């Protein structure tokens, strides 16, 4: 039985004795980043689906005849949503830059391509919640 445990330990490390993370660690880290990313992703989705399709861009446009898609509450909420998107999105982008670019560049054994490829998993929690609603 001792030989089996030794082979399992050697399967988890490479020749230099460093732990092999494979795709599991970058994938799990980027999925974890996707949880706080749900807020800025939702705000961007709201702007894309509610604000941009409207025919008007100011409260004065609400009274113009011929506009069929002009909703005052959406106009009222849009500046707050844009502000919150900047306040939550910029720190999240900085965190993604640190986790997926700077840390793999600083540490040996972390491949930048793997971490950047796994960054595509960040929107997965938001897409799952969007699909469930």
């Amino acid at each position: 039985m001792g030989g089996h445990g030794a082979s399992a330990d050697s399967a988890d490390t490479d020749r230099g004795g460093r732990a092999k993370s494979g795709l599991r660690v970058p994938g799990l880290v980027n999925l974890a980043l996707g949880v706080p990313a749900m807020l800025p992703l939702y705000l961007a989705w709201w702007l894309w689906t509610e604000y941009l399709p409207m025919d008007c861009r100011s409260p004065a446009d609400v009274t113009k005849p011929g506009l069929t898609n002009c909703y005052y509450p959406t106009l009222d909420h849009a500046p707050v949503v844009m502000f919150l998107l900047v306040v939550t999105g910029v720190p999240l982008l900085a965190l993604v830059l640190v986790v997926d670019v700077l840390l793999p560049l600083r540490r040996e054994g972390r491949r930048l391509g793997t971490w950047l490829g796994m960054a595509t998993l960040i929107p997965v929690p938001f897409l799952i919640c969007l699909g469930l609603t």
Side-chain angles (χ1 to χ4, degrees):
M1 277 202 227
H4 179 26
S7 65
D9 291 338
S10 64
D12 292 338
T13 59
D14 61 6
R15 291 182 195 172
R18 294 181 303 239
K20 291 192 302 186
S21 62
L23 299 175
R24 187 176 352 152
V25 172
L28 290 175
V29 168
N30 282 299
L31 282 173
L33 283 175
V35 174
M38 288 171 62
L39 180 60
L41 287 172
Y42 174 76
L43 295 171
W45 177 80
W46 185 89
L47 285 171
W48 187 264
T49 59
E50 298 291 327
Y51 181 69
L52 288 180
M54 287 195 335
D55 296 334
C56 56
R57 293 291 175 244
S58 72
D61 293 342
V62 174
T63 59
K64 289 183 181 177
L67 295 177
T68 57
N69 188 17
C70 191
Y71 190 54
Y72 182 77
T74 302
L75 284 174
D76 191 37
H77 295 144
V80 175
V81 171
M82 289 180 207
F83 174 76
L84 289 174
L85 179 60
V86 170
V87 167
T88 60
V90 170
L92 183 75
L93 286 175
L95 184 62
V96 169
L97 177 72
V98 167
V99 169
D100 287 333
V101 177
L102 298 178
L103 288 179
L105 287 176
R106 288 190 70 203
R107 292 192 177 170
E108 284 186 38
R110 287 189 175 184
R111 295 187 358 224
L112 180 63
T114 303
W115 283 84
L116 288 176
M118 288 293 128
T120 58
L121 294 175
I122 292 173
V124 167
F126 171 71
L127 294 173
I128 289 172
C129 286
L130 191 63
L132 291 174
T133 58

